[in-house]
Amino acid sequence: MAQRDKSGVWLFFKENVNTPELADCTICTKQMRRAQPGASRKMFQTSSMWGHLKANHPAEYKVADEARQESSKKRKRQQEEANKIQEIYVIRPQQETLEQNSERQLKYPSDHKFQKEGENLIGYWLCDALKPYTTVENEMFVRMIAHFNKRFTVPSAK
């Protein structure tokens, strides 16, 4: 993972040499707390520095904010480029053959596991919902089942 660019706020602050939890404003020399004493560097933040710039140095805040936006745009461009490269090198599944495609179009044989399971489920549903067996011959019911699985043959009520 690439290292992040420094925040635009660092154009107007420098890290305090003696106390890394503090940052010194290079404009007015005010010290701003970045973290609690003894905190790990991962816990350091720049929000107080941003607030100081915005409240006390609006012109410099604008410059820092523009740098932040430019950095954000740069990261976005880099991520888009990385995504494009990844798309090029993604291994795609092999296109199916005509034989495989035609097999997918065939109806299940009557002894096929999915055909039998589907027939049983329809039977259980008819009983549970108190529907007449002729429901399976309803055109909309047949279309609905075909939508879910084109290979399944709806059993006849006869």
Side-chain angles (χ1 to χ4, degrees), residues 123-156:
Y124 294 142
W125 175 77
L126 289 170
C127 292
D128 188 58
L130 301 174
K131 299 285 184 188
Y133 287 116
T134 55
T135 302
V136 298
E137 294 173 345
N138 178 290
E139 180 187 352
M140 290 309 292
F141 180 81
V142 172
R143 285 176 61 190
M144 178 184 68
I145 297 298
H147 173 77
F148 294 129
N149 187 340
K150 294 187 184 341
R151 295 186 65 191
F152 182 77
T153 305
V154 177
S156 170

Side-chain angles (χ1 to χ4, degrees), residues 9-149:
V9 78
W10 287 107
L11 295 170
F12 304 102
F13 281 88
K14 63 179 180 178
E15 188 175 283
N16 187 295
V17 180
N18 301 325
T19 314
E21 296 90 8
L22 299 177
D24 302 325
C25 177
T26 58
I27 303 164
C28 67
T29 68
K30 181 166 181 166
Q31 291 185 334
M32 302 304 301
R33 182 164 297 284
R34 300 169 51 208
Q36 294 299 318
S40 73
R41 284 211 174 274
K42 287 183 178 181
M43 302 301 292
F44 286 18
Q45 299 180 2
T46 58
S47 53
S48 63
M49 297 154 56
W50 280 106
H52 173 76
L53 276 184
K54 189 173 186 177
N56 300 296
H57 314 292
E60 289 80 1
Y61 172 82
K62 188 175 180 181
V63 171
D65 192 44
E66 288 171 0
R68 173 173 42 182
Q69 290 174 9
E70 189 57 42
S71 177
S72 177
K73 288 177 189 175
K74 179 182 171 188
R75 275 196 309 277
K76 187 175 180 181
R77 281 192 305 269
Q78 288 172 338
Q79 185 60 50
E80 287 171 354
E81 287 175 18
N83 289 346
K84 286 178 188 176
I85 291 169
Q86 189 176 9
E87 285 178 23
I88 293 169
Y89 292 104
V90 169
I91 298 172
R92 292 183 175 79
Q94 187 177 12
Q95 183 177 0
E96 69 181 1
T97 64
L98 287 172
E99 184 179 327
Q100 290 168 327
N101 184 280
S102 63
E103 284 176 10
R104 263 193 322 109
Q105 306 302 320
L106 297 174
K107 296 284 188 183
Y108 291 127
S110 59
D111 61 343
H112 192 279
K113 174 181 140 185
F114 291 133
Q115 181 67 33
K116 286 185 172 192
E117 205 172 278
E119 289 173 3
N120 287 337
L121 288 171
I122 288 174
Y124 294 142
W125 175 77
L126 289 170
C127 292
D128 188 58
L130 301 174
K131 299 285 184 188
Y133 287 116
T134 55
T135 302
V136 298
E137 294 173 345
N138 178 290
E139 180 187 352
M140 290 309 292
F141 180 81
V142 172
R143 285 176 61 190
M144 178 184 68
I145 297 298
H147 173 77
F148 294 129
N149 187 340

